[in-house]
């Protein structure tokens, strides 16, 4: 049980760090190329999905990949949402946040199943 919790926490931390790195890089790209503001939300969603997938594939191992994956996917989405809310000094919860949680759970579950089935010597 303790090992599973530690795996989930490491996966969440990795997902948050990946997401922050992607957002930082994207912010620089926006500044350099003057991208339209309406491109930010879809790109951020893609970054969150990639971040959740990467965190799970890196740190989820053992058994119960679906359960671990769903949990870390939901927690990672909530953590990044709260972090971005603190950074922007605005936190508003809407129906879209619930959609993000569902997407995080699905991506986390899929990646958790994949991660526990990857052979360690590959």
């Amino acid at each position: 049980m303790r090992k599973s919790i530690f795996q989930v926490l490491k996966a969440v931390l990795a997902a948050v760090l990946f997401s922050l790195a992607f957002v930082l890089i994207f912010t620089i790209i926006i500044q350099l190329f003057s991208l339209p503001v309406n491109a930010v939300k879809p790109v951020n969603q893609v970054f969150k999905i990639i971040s959740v997938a990467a965190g799970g594939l890196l740190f989820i191992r053992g058994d119960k990949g679906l359960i671990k994956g769903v949990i870390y996917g939901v927690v990672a989405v909530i953590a990044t949402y709260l972090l971005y809310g603190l950074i922007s000094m605005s936190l508003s919860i809407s129906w879209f946040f619930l959609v993000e949680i569902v997407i995080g759970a699905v991506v986390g579950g899929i990646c958790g199943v994949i991660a526990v089935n990857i052979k360690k010597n590959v």
Side-chain angles (χ1 to χ4, degrees), residues 31-53:
Q31 295 296 321
L32 291 175
F33 299 108
S34 301
L35 295 177
V37 174
N38 60 355
V40 173
K41 281 197 180 223
V43 171
N44 279 340
Q45 294 309 311
V46 171
F47 288 159
K48 283 183 185 180
I49 291 169
I50 293 170
S51 298
V52 169

Side-chain angles (χ1 to χ4, degrees), residues 2 19-21 44-45 60 62 64 67 72 76-77 84 94 100:
R2 190 176 203 181
S19 183
L20 284 172
N44 279 340
Q45 294 309 311
I60 300 297
K64 299 180 184 175
I67 295 169
Y72 95 82
V77 167
Y84 293 153
S94 66
E100 286 184 19

Side-chain angles (χ1 to χ4, degrees), residues 68 89 102:
K68 290 179 194 176
M89 298 301 243
V102 170

